[in-house]
Amino acid sequence: MRTGIFYYHQKGERLQDFPQALKGILEKENIFFYDAFYPSKPPSSFELEPISSEMLYQIHSHELVEEVTKTGNFEGALFSVAGTVRAAEKIWMEEIDNAFVFTGYGDHHAGTIFFGGGCYFNGAAIAIRTLRKRFGAKRFAIIDTDAHHGDGTWEIFEADPDVLYVCFCSDHYLEKNNKVNIQVPTRIIDEEYLELVRNNFFSRVMAFQPEILFWNWGYDGTQGDYGDIGLTPDFHILLTNELTGLANKICRGRLIVVLCGGSRRDLARTLIPEMIKVISEE
Ligand SMILES: [Zn+2]
Ligand SMILES: [Zn+2]
């Protein structure tokens, strides 16, 4: 597989070990690295292009964009969604097959007119709207395994049956217009969670036949992180294997992994390179 890594250098603890932790991966022939914003390189050499305000307004209100500007995190939020949008475009244009997107700020709590929980803009939503407009793409699936409910993504696509959104979180079961919430117990072991995904996502997405599969991947549900539900680090690698195999079956391997919640630096350092190996070698 040709794998794109979309890398925005976020200040702070969690991603401090990057990009160094990608050593041994970036050198590979099938890895394409699109970077933005890091201290050791001049800005002119960045390869990740930001997206325009018009692209943000496809999903978010002018008021929301204005509010995000006031937080002082606009640039980080913009480059975070730019990674997801550029990944989707390059996959559509067949420059790469799949992607891992580093974000500074996540996606799924950002809706049309609201944001919160470390999310400002909704990258998957903007990517979907952009592919539809530019290329006439139609059907997309998003699986969300962050520990929290993706209220923003749900709201944006509530009336859109051509986006299958399956969210695994602590909220009760709900299913409406191809938006599905699957309740995850407050304590769970790896194998039970994998079973939940197989039973509730696999058949739905196979029947749905998306053109691209997005994965809002959070690791905040791992033991010792802020959304701890008892998962071990291994869980994420196992799930990566399963979702990579699934994407190969349903949409020619077109998978975009978007980094969402999670705070532990040691987990980021070990899990992200391992996951990139899985998606690029399958
Ligand atoms: Zn979360
Ligand atoms: Zn949910």
Side-chain angles (χ1 to χ4, degrees):
M1 301 298 272
R2 294 165 303 168
T3 296
I5 300 174
F6 295 79
Y7 177 73
Y8 159 71
H9 185 87
Q10 172 77 2
K11 287 187 223 92
E13 176 70 10
R14 130 163 129 159
L15 295 175
Q16 255 188 48
D17 298 305
F18 292 91
Q20 313 85 271
L22 298 173
K23 203 174 181 309
I25 293 176
L26 297 183
E27 293 77 8
K28 291 185 180 163
E29 249 177 24
N30 62 325
I31 299 289
F32 299 81
F33 189 55
Y34 306 93
D35 56 354
F37 254 32
Y38 63 101
S40 57
K41 280 179 82 176
S44 58
S45 67
F46 298 146
E47 280 162 30
L48 176 57
E49 289 171 52
I51 61 167
S52 65
S53 303
E54 280 61 44
M55 288 163 95
L56 293 175
Y57 298 144
Q58 294 179 106
I59 295 292
H60 302 295
S61 68
H62 284 65
E63 291 74 15
L64 180 142
V65 175
E66 182 66 35
E67 286 301 312
V68 173
T69 313
K70 288 183 199 154
T71 66
N73 294 327
F74 178 82
E75 207 156 37
L78 184 72
F79 275 100
S80 296
V81 298
T84 309
V85 173
R86 300 305 181 204
E89 289 175 333
K90 287 179 189 300
I91 286 174
W92 196 269
M93 294 186 291
E94 303 192 342
E95 291 174 27
I96 54 174
D97 300 298
N98 60 24
F100 185 95
V101 181
F102 284 84
T103 64
Y105 304 104
D107 266 31
H108 72 170
H109 296 307
T112 314
I113 56 166
F114 61 88
F115 63 87
C119 305
Y120 295 109
F121 301 133
N122 198 308
I126 297 168
I128 288 170
R129 201 67 46 96
T130 302
L131 288 199
R132 282 176 170 169
K133 198 170 170 209
R134 279 194 70 188
F135 306 110
K138 288 192 181 73
R139 294 165 74 75
F140 298 89
I142 307 170
I143 178 171
D144 187 334
T145 62
D146 183 279
H148 304 98
H149 182 59
D151 51 348
T153 307
W154 188 289
E155 178 262 337
I156 289 168
F157 293 117
E158 196 150 33
D160 182 348
D162 288 326
V163 175
L164 172 67
Y165 177 56
V166 183
C167 177
F168 293 82
C169 69
S170 58
D171 287 12
H172 288 291
Y173 166 77
L174 186 64
E175 182 154 10
K176 191 183 159 193
N177 214 16
N178 286 331
K179 262 35 76 192
V180 187
N181 200 77
I182 301 298
Q183 188 170 25
V184 179
T186 48
R187 300 304 293 172
I188 192 164
I189 60 170
D190 297 351
E191 188 49 43
E192 286 168 351
Y193 197 122
L194 291 171
E195 234 0 74
L196 267 187
V197 173
R198 289 183 203 120
N199 293 339
N200 295 287
F201 183 62
F202 278 44
S203 55
R204 281 189 177 88
V205 77
M206 301 241 262
F208 183 80
Q209 292 287 313
E211 289 156 304
I212 292 185
L213 172 59
F214 291 86
W215 178 13
N216 275 3
W217 171 62
Y219 63 92
D220 47 358
T222 319
Q223 294 169 9
D225 217 318
Y226 58 82
D228 186 347
I229 52 171
L231 297 170
T232 75
D234 284 346
F235 164 78
H236 302 283
I237 308 304
L238 295 169
L239 186 55
T240 307
N241 263 305
E242 300 228 3
L243 293 180
T244 307
L246 182 68
N248 286 341
K249 265 191 221 142
I250 58 171
C251 52
R252 292 188 284 145
R254 296 163 153 192
L255 172 68
I256 301 177
V257 187
V258 182
L259 173 60
C260 292
S263 66
R264 281 178 53 186
R265 176 180 170 179
D266 61 322
L267 288 178
R269 181 178 60 231
T270 51
L271 289 176
I272 294 172
E274 203 53 45
M275 289 170 69
I276 292 174
K277 277 184 201 156
V278 172
I279 66 169
S280 62
E281 282 169 11
E282 185 79 12

